[in-house]
Every structure is written in C-alpha cells, then in structure tokens.
C-alpha cells in the first residue's frame, strides 16, 4: 500500500478516491492481488526517458467480489494523468485475456486524460490491443466499466464496447474531444459537464447504463449487478433466496390497469407484482423512459425483463427505446438469461423526426434481437399490442415460447379509431352517421382486437387473469429451464441493422 500513498490528497481534493482505494472499496476485504506492478514505459521522447511512471499509470490484478473471482484494473490519474501508453494498454489487454481464460468478469475503473501524446503511435497501439481484447471477451465474460473521472478520445471506446457503464455524478465525463478542442474547431464555448457529463450520458445519449450519486454508491451497485448475472458464458447459477407475497401481489396487479385504455400507468408496478419481492434491478432507468429493462429474479432465478411503459410517452417505440431493448435482449441471450417481456405498445412513434433519425433501422434491431435470441422467452400482453410493434415485442412470430394475454388486451394492426378513419373515412366526417360509426367501432373491437381471435389462431398461448401472471410465468420458465438451441443454418454470423 505504501507505494500508492503519494498524491492521495490530489484525488481527495477533487472528491475522488485513489485507484487502489477504489479497487479495495470494490473488492472483498484483502482479496486483491496486483500483477505487472513493475511494468514501465519504454518511451525516450520529449523528456520521457527521465520519467519513472509507476506501474505505467494503471493498477491491474485480480480479486473477489461477493466471494467470486474478478479481474480488475484502475487507472491512476495522479500518475501522468492516467494517460494510456503502449505498456499501459498492453497490461489491460493482457488482464482481459487472462479473464477470458479464467472465466471471470473484468471490471475497469477509468480515470484518464486519454492517449499519452509523447508515445505517438505506440499509445494508439495500446488502445488497439485493448479494444481487440474487449471484442474478444464480448459474450464470453461480463465487462463492466466505471467512469471515475475524465474519459476522453480513444479512452471512451473501450467502455463503449463493454456491457455496462457506471457513471458518478460530478466526477464522470466522457467525450470524443474535450471542450478545448470543441472551441478551437467549432468556436463553441461549452463546459465539460454539458459536453459529456453524467446527465448527458444517462438521459440523452444512452451511453451510461447506471448513474450513481457517489463513488461508494457506485461500487455497491456494481456488486449488486454481479449478484444477478452469470460470471461467464455457461455458468449455471444456483437459485437465490426470495420472498413473494402472493395474496398482496394478486390483489394489487388486478387494479393496475386504468379503466380507460388511453390512460397511462407505470409498467414497473406490473413487473414488481410478478418478480420476487424487491428483486427488480433496473438498467438505464433515465434513458428512453417509454421502455423499461432490467434484471430480476423469479423464484430465486435471474431473468431479464423488457417492457413497454405507458407512463413514458404512451409506451411507443422510438429510436432510443428500440436500441435500449435490443441491446439488453442481446446481452441476456449472450449469457443464457431467460427473457420476460411485458407488452403495452400502441406502435412505433410516427413523425418526421423519428423517420429522419432512422426509426426503420432502429426498430429493426428489436426484431432482429428477439428473433436471434434462443433463451427461454415468455411474453405477457397486458393491454395494447398494435401493428409492427406487436410483432417486434417478442411475439409468437419471433419465437416466443409462450405468449400470455390479459382479458382486456387489444391485439390488432391499429386501434379502433385509426382503423375506422381508414375503413369508413366518409362516414366518420358525417355527424348523421354517428350511430353507424359507433356500431362499427364496437364491431371492430369485438371481432378484431380481442385477444380471443389471436388465441384461436394459436398466436396466444393462453388468456389469463392478471392475478395468474406470476404463476404462469414461473411455471413456464421452469418448463423451459433445459431448453436447447435449435440448429441454425450454417453461417459465420448475421448482420444486425446497426
């Protein structure tokens, strides 16, 4: 510990922990062992030949979190600004390679000024080797990034490849180019916080998956996440202890849907009535609020939850919501985490803004992700399921194993009003035809929109009461526990519409 004590005050003055303090705060007590501590740079340009940079600015090693092994590294901003040179990058790349072999998660604590300019292309070599290992590890072991300071230039791309990014209020910043470069190139004055602060990436860009108020709170959240997810592809997790008040939740879930179909409600209320008590751990809660994703347990076993949320812009799918859902579905499928999808979606959001942003391409990601996923997939339609969005949200047609619908579910190309405006446009404009329009509207609801029609065509596995949802989901997952992947046509890989 002695060799890390210098410059602690610098970090503390900024309200930040030192790299070794961060590692010790995250790992179980006395479990961390450093490797490559003697590594040094080999640069002899611009005065670097006389600089001794301890451990080349990054502490690497392995330890335990919640009793399970992890690989971990932390950049030290007090040593050459945490800048990444060739050796620095190679140390991290080697650690990731070892984590792949050891089958354990890798956690990176990023606090760096970016590429070490003095090393020129060698620093880019360090980044390149790091990125390559990030991609190799993807889908084999979980990769978690903690942004605990500035993260600029090439430094943002390693976190960008990883599975989950944690950011901390007031100390985390991520940007391709900092405010000084933006000013010199674009003649724009902007603060680091407005350019790439936590609120930007947790609410607008969707780069950060978790926003934390403090470093301590951040490390607690990382430890919680690691309790939910498999630590390597193929790990069979043992069920955790759980609580569930069946009577209380059955009563509550039956009263969640509003009387009027246009009224909003929070889908999290439904989720919390189905999963184990206090087990829902939401991912990206501030980004694209019309969609909800996260982990939970059902009878002690981890599941991935995806849902539309009528409380957020009616639950429409837009570009951001599509990306949020598709990426989460692909993560869960990568690590064999079963998926539960709660559907209440009036469609893909219309209008020129979303069309110009590429809603067709982004929406296609959801279809691709669900179709590609081979894990157990259980879908519950609570209310609306219209048009292409009905198909996209893990319908039977995209390979859902079981699809359940509540009695008030509406499954159709569109709602009654929209359908009548196309089918009976003239009559809709004529006040004298009001009775005829009302009659046709009711006819459409009873003969087209009812879940009975979909059930008769075997698109719905069963129409169930809300109070039955938990039991149906749990028994379905139990039945699908040993589901095997079906043989796919020979190919290298598909081409998701990125």
């Amino acid at each position: 510990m002695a060799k890390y004590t210098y410059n602690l005050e610098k970090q503390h003055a900024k309200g930040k922990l030192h790299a070794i303090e961060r590692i010790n705060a995250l790992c179980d007590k006395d479990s961390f062992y450093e490797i490559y501590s003697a590594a040094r740079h080999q640069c002899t340009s611009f005065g670097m030949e006389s600089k001794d940079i301890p451990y080349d600015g990054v502490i690497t090693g392995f330890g335990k979190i919640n009793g399970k092994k992890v690989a971990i590294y932390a950049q030290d901003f007090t040593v050459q600004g945490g800048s990444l040179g060739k050796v620095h990058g190679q140390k991290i790349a080697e650690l990731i390679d070892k984590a792949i072999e050891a089958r354990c998660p890798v956690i990176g604590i990023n606090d760096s000024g970016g590429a070490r300019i003095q090393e020129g292309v060698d620093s880019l070599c360090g980044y390149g080797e790091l990125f390559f290992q990030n991609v190799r590890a993807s889908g084999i072991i979980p990769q978690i990034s903690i942004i605990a300071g500035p993260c600029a230039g090439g430094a943002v791309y390693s976190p960008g490849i990883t599975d989950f990014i944690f950011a901390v209020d007031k100390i985390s910043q991520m940007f391709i180019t900092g405010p000084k470069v933006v000013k010199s190139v674009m003649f724009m004055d902007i603060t680091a916080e407005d350019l790439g602060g936590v609120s930007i990436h947790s609410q607008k860009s969707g780069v950060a998956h978790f926003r934390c108020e403090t470093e301590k709170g951040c490390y607690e959240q990382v430890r919680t996440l690691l309790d939910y997810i498999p630590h390597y592809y193929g790990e069979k997790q043992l069920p955790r202890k759980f609580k569930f008040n069946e009577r209380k939740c059955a009563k509550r879930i039956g009263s969640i849907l509003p009387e009027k179909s246009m009224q909003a409600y929070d889908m999290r209320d439904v989720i919390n009535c189905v999963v184990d008590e206090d087990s829902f751990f939401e991912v990206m809660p501030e980004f694209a609020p019309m969609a909800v994703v996260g982990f939970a347990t059902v009878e002690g076993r981890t599941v991935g939850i995806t849902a539309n949320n009528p409380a957020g812009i009616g639950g429409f799918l837009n570009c951001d919501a599509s990306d949020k859902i598709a990426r989460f579905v692909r993560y869960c499928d990568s690590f064999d985490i079963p998926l539960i999808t709660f559907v209440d979606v009036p469609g893909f959001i219309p209008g020129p803004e979303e069309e110009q942003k590429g809603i067709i391409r982004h929406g296609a990601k959801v279809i691709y992700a669900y179709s590609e996923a081979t894990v157990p997939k259980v879908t519950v339609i609570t209310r609306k399921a219209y048009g292409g969005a009905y198909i996209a949200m893990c319908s039977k047609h995209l390979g859902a194993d079981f699809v359940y619908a509540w009695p008030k579910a509406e499954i159709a190309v569109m709602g009654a009003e929209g359908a009548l405006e196309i089918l009976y446009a003239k009559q809709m404009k004529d006040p004298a035809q009001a009775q005829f329009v009302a009659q046709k509207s009711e006819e459409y609801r009873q003969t087209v929109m009812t879940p009975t029609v979909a059930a008769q065509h075997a698109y719905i596995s069963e129409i169930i009461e809300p109070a039955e949802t938990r039991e149906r989901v749990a028994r379905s997952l139990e039945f699908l526990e040993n589901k095997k992947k079906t043989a796919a046509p020979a190919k290298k890989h598909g081409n998701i519409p990125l």
Side-chain angles (χ1 to χ4, degrees):
M1 177 66 185
K3 60 184 175 182
Y4 305 120
T5 56
Y6 54 86
N7 285 337
L8 289 179
E9 316 80 46
K10 271 190 177 181
Q11 287 289 87
H12 295 171
K14 297 175 185 176
K16 297 159 65 173
L17 296 176
H18 186 272
I20 192 63
E21 292 177 313
R22 288 167 166 166
I23 289 173
N24 288 331
L26 188 53
C27 291
D28 297 347
K29 187 176 180 182
D30 299 327
S31 71
F32 177 71
Y33 291 88
E34 186 177 0
I35 53 176
Y36 312 123
S37 61
R40 296 293 188 273
H41 72 86
Q42 296 136 17
C43 180
T44 57
S45 304
F46 298 98
M48 288 292 287
E49 67 276 6
S50 61
K51 283 191 175 181
D52 177 43
I53 303 176
Y55 41 83
D56 208 45
V58 61
I59 302 170
T60 55
F62 55 88
K64 290 186 177 180
I65 294 179
N66 302 328
K68 299 179 73 173
K69 63 185 178 184
V70 296
I72 188 167
Y73 69 88
Q75 294 174 315
D76 186 350
F77 198 79
T78 70
V79 178
Q80 200 68 24
S83 59
L84 186 142
K86 182 179 178 181
V87 173
H88 181 128
Q90 288 177 335
K91 282 181 63 176
I92 302 173
E94 173 75 9
L95 181 72
I96 297 172
D97 185 55
K98 285 289 177 281
I100 294 171
E101 293 178 357
R103 298 197 299 176
C104 71
V106 61
I107 303 167
I109 304 174
N110 298 265
D111 190 359
S112 170
R116 191 173 296 160
I117 296 171
Q118 298 94 324
E119 293 195 30
V121 72
D122 274 349
S123 68
L124 302 182
C125 163
Y127 273 127
E129 292 187 17
L130 168 55
F131 300 160
F132 184 76
Q133 291 298 334
N134 284 139
V135 175
R136 279 192 68 231
S138 184
I140 300 174
I141 55 172
Q143 299 181 85
I144 297 171
S145 295
I146 298 168
I147 311 303
C151 199
V156 300
Y157 286 113
S158 175
I161 298 168
T162 61
D163 299 306
F164 300 102
I165 296 177
F166 288 77
V168 184
D169 280 333
K170 299 178 183 177
I171 68 171
S172 298
Q173 294 161 0
M174 298 179 75
F175 27 66
I176 299 300
T177 54
K180 289 181 180 179
V181 176
V182 170
K183 185 173 183 178
S184 66
V185 174
M186 303 183 69
F187 310 104
M188 180 189 297
D189 281 312
I190 189 167
T191 66
E193 198 65 25
D194 288 338
L195 181 62
V198 178
S199 61
I200 297 297
H201 291 307
S202 63
Q203 298 172 6
K204 296 183 178 181
S205 73
V207 170
H209 299 82
F210 298 95
R211 176 180 182 173
C212 312
E213 292 184 4
T214 64
E215 281 201 61
K216 182 181 177 182
C218 175
Y219 304 138
E220 287 174 355
Q221 279 206 289
V222 172
R223 292 173 68 92
T224 298
L225 174 63
L226 287 170
D227 258 351
Y228 279 91
I229 59 178
H231 282 213
Y232 57 87
Y233 170 70
E235 182 188 27
K236 296 297 182 184
Q237 293 179 289
L238 296 174
R240 300 160 58 181
K241 291 182 180 179
F242 68 92
K243 293 181 180 180
F244 184 75
N245 188 325
E246 185 175 347
R247 182 177 296 180
K248 178 183 175 182
C249 288
K251 183 178 180 181
R252 185 181 173 203
I253 199 171
S255 63
I256 291 174
L257 284 189
E259 289 186 14
K260 296 181 179 178
S261 65
M262 297 299 289
Q263 285 182 300
Y265 66 95
D266 195 330
M267 187 64 86
R268 295 179 188 88
D269 293 335
V270 174
I271 293 168
N272 286 322
C273 285
V274 175
V275 302
D276 298 341
E277 189 175 315
D278 298 325
S279 74
F280 184 50
F281 185 64
E282 191 170 357
V283 177
M284 303 177 81
E286 296 182 278
F287 180 69
M290 65 286 294
V292 174
V293 302
F295 299 104
T297 61
V298 173
E299 295 189 342
R301 296 186 181 275
T302 295
V303 296
I305 303 288
T306 59
N308 311 114
N309 191 13
I313 318 179
F316 279 96
L317 284 175
N318 67 357
C319 293
D320 288 344
S322 297
D323 285 358
K324 179 177 177 177
I325 291 171
R327 180 173 168 84
F328 185 77
V329 167
R330 297 196 89 212
Y331 178 83
C332 290
D333 189 54
S334 293
F335 289 94
D336 279 339
I337 299 171
L339 286 162
I340 305 173
T341 303
F342 294 91
V343 182
D344 189 343
V345 61
F348 287 96
I349 199 165
E353 183 178 349
E354 289 296 317
E355 291 291 0
Q356 291 166 21
K357 286 170 65 178
I359 185 61
I360 296 169
R361 175 168 51 86
H362 291 276
K365 296 176 189 179
V366 181
I367 296 171
Y368 193 104
Y370 272 123
S371 299
E372 181 185 47
T374 59
V375 294
K377 295 181 285 189
V378 178
T379 299
V380 179
I381 302 173
T382 61
R383 193 169 62 175
K384 297 175 184 174
Y386 293 168
Y390 149 70
I391 301 171
M393 289 300 296
C394 203
S395 62
K396 181 78 171 177
H397 326 293
L398 300 191
D401 295 293
F402 297 109
V403 179
Y404 299 109
W406 288 1
K408 291 184 179 179
E410 302 171 0
I411 305 168
V413 174
M414 60 184 69
E417 187 175 338
L420 264 61
E421 285 178 355
I422 294 173
L423 298 173
Y424 303 103
K426 291 182 180 179
Q427 291 89 334
M428 290 281 285
K429 295 175 182 177
D430 185 357
Q433 298 289 324
Q435 186 174 350
F436 172 82
V437 170
Q439 178 186 337
K440 288 299 179 183
S441 176
E442 185 60 24
E443 182 182 336
Y444 183 84
R445 293 178 191 279
Q446 294 300 324
T447 61
V448 177
M449 295 174 67
T450 170
T452 303
V453 176
Q456 289 171 343
H457 288 82
Y459 303 147
I460 300 296
S461 306
E462 200 69 28
I463 299 170
I464 62 172
E465 292 297 327
E468 299 177 66
T469 307
R470 156 85 176 193
E471 184 66 16
R472 279 283 183 172
V473 167
R475 299 292 71 80
S476 298
L477 292 176
E478 182 180 50
F479 176 75
L480 296 166
E481 186 176 354
N482 297 316
K483 178 184 176 183
K484 287 188 176 180
K485 298 177 183 178
T486 55
K491 63 180 178 181
K492 187 172 184 180
H493 60 72
N495 185 23
I496 187 170
L498 297 173

